[in-house]
Amino acid sequence: MQSDRRPIGVFDSGLGGLTVLRAVRERMPDESLIYFGDTARVPYGSKSAETVTRFSREIVEFLLGHEVKAVVAACNSASALAVPLLKAEYTVPIMGVIGPGARLAVERTRSGRIGVIGTRATIASGAYERAMAVLDPAATVVTQPCPLFVSLVEEGWTDRPAARLIAEEYLAPLRGRVDTLVLGCTHYPLLKPLIAELMGPDVVLIDSAESCAAELGVLLNAHGLRAPERTAATERFYVSDAPELFSRLSTRFLGRDVGDVRHVPEVAELKG
């Protein structure tokens, strides 16, 4: 079997994509990873499709400059709005988190009633509904934007009374209507215990980070791009702004110190 020691590129508008990086690391410990967080232009969830696509393209170009062998858009907004275009533009394999999450949700649902929570941009894009309609035209998809969840996670307020009140408000329209719920934002897994409690034990939660990591492994195998076993894997972290803040907050997503975070402001200054 062919092997490839080049790193995998993972990008997000900020911190949330670290849940994808963590899932990839747990599943493929031999793979080297490069992460780019566009912290100068976060959030993507409130921006237009044209803007998100432009930002994503700039980051892909940056990652290609570091000779990555594949790129993961670990951001639901970028996955919904930019990935379809980027896949047509570049020869390097590019994947997002929406397809894997949609496929796992369709596989796991018992009744065909699936809920999706995410940012306003992700929900407004209709990307999950389109993906699931192809997989199962009979599926009923109920969506709900939950924009305040990102701020709660980044503030570390996942177990505060405020988080419970906000979650109860957001999830009320979904309770009793779905048996499967897609966490359609990479921040949301940090709220999984609260969401699971409020939705009840009969609702299956789909973590798009975990499903994305699983499909990434399949993609790498299909292209002969897996790193050899027992490779000394490395990690590098880049941001477009506030590296110290990123480093401090990243422990909430990874449970460990990421070490050196490199500031690359020129990515956000290209056309931003």
Side-chain angles (χ1 to χ4, degrees):
M1 178 182 290
Q2 290 181 300
S3 61
D4 194 322
R5 296 176 184 272
R6 290 179 297 163
I8 299 165
V10 180
F11 78 89
D12 185 33
S13 59
L15 288 151
L18 291 173
T19 59
V20 174
L21 182 137
R22 182 180 63 194
V24 172
R25 168 61 63 238
E26 291 172 352
R27 183 171 286 269
M28 293 177 282
D30 300 314
E31 297 291 349
S32 292
L33 304 170
I34 296 178
Y35 184 91
F36 187 92
D38 197 5
T39 47
R41 304 184 290 197
V42 65
Y44 283 8
S46 58
K47 293 180 171 60
S48 69
E50 292 77 13
T51 297
V52 171
T53 299
R54 174 161 53 90
F55 290 175
S56 300
R57 186 180 292 113
E58 291 163 5
I59 296 168
V60 170
E61 291 288 343
F62 171 81
L63 292 171
L64 290 176
H66 289 267
E67 299 184 340
V68 297
K69 61 186 177 184
V71 176
V72 179
C75 168
N76 278 266
S77 298
S79 296
L81 304 173
V83 164
L85 294 174
L86 297 177
K87 289 175 71 171
E89 293 176 14
Y90 295 95
T91 56
V92 65
I94 297 176
M95 66 176 296
V97 291
I98 287 177
R103 279 185 281 277
L104 188 57
V106 169
E107 177 185 316
R108 295 284 180 84
T109 183
R110 304 178 305 277
S111 66
R113 299 192 304 273
I114 301 168
V116 180
I117 55 176
T119 65
R120 287 195 177 94
T122 297
I123 298 303
S125 74
Y128 275 102
E129 292 99 316
R130 289 195 299 274
M132 292 181 195
V134 172
L135 298 164
D136 181 2
T140 299
V141 183
V142 184
T143 61
Q144 173 66 41
C146 304
L148 293 178
F149 277 178
V150 170
S151 298
L152 289 170
V153 168
E154 295 196 354
E155 288 293 333
W157 288 9
T158 56
D159 58 355
R160 298 284 186 90
R164 177 173 290 274
L165 288 172
I166 291 169
E168 286 176 344
E169 186 76 18
Y170 282 154
L171 299 176
L174 300 172
R175 294 170 70 179
R177 298 182 61 194
V178 301
D179 70 6
T180 305
L181 179 64
V182 178
L183 307 183
C185 173
T186 48
H187 281 70
Y188 295 1
L190 277 75
L191 287 162
K192 191 185 294 185
L194 176 59
I195 295 171
E197 178 187 344
L198 294 176
M199 292 302 296
D202 294 331
V203 176
V204 176
L205 300 187
I206 302 297
D207 185 337
S208 55
E210 294 175 358
S211 56
C212 179
E215 291 205 9
L216 176 62
V218 174
L219 182 148
L220 294 177
N221 285 334
H223 287 81
L225 296 175
R226 286 296 296 270
E229 291 185 7
R230 293 181 292 279
T231 295
T234 62
E235 292 180 348
R236 282 179 280 168
F237 297 88
Y238 297 89
V239 295
S240 53
D241 193 26
E244 298 84 3
L245 180 61
F246 179 92
S247 181
R248 186 167 71 252
L249 295 180
S250 63
T251 58
R252 294 176 184 163
F253 293 80
L254 293 179
R256 58 181 170 83
D257 187 357
V258 300
D260 181 44
V261 178
R262 305 177 194 186
H263 186 201
V264 192
E266 56 268 25
V267 173
E269 293 169 359
L270 288 174
K271 301 175 184 176

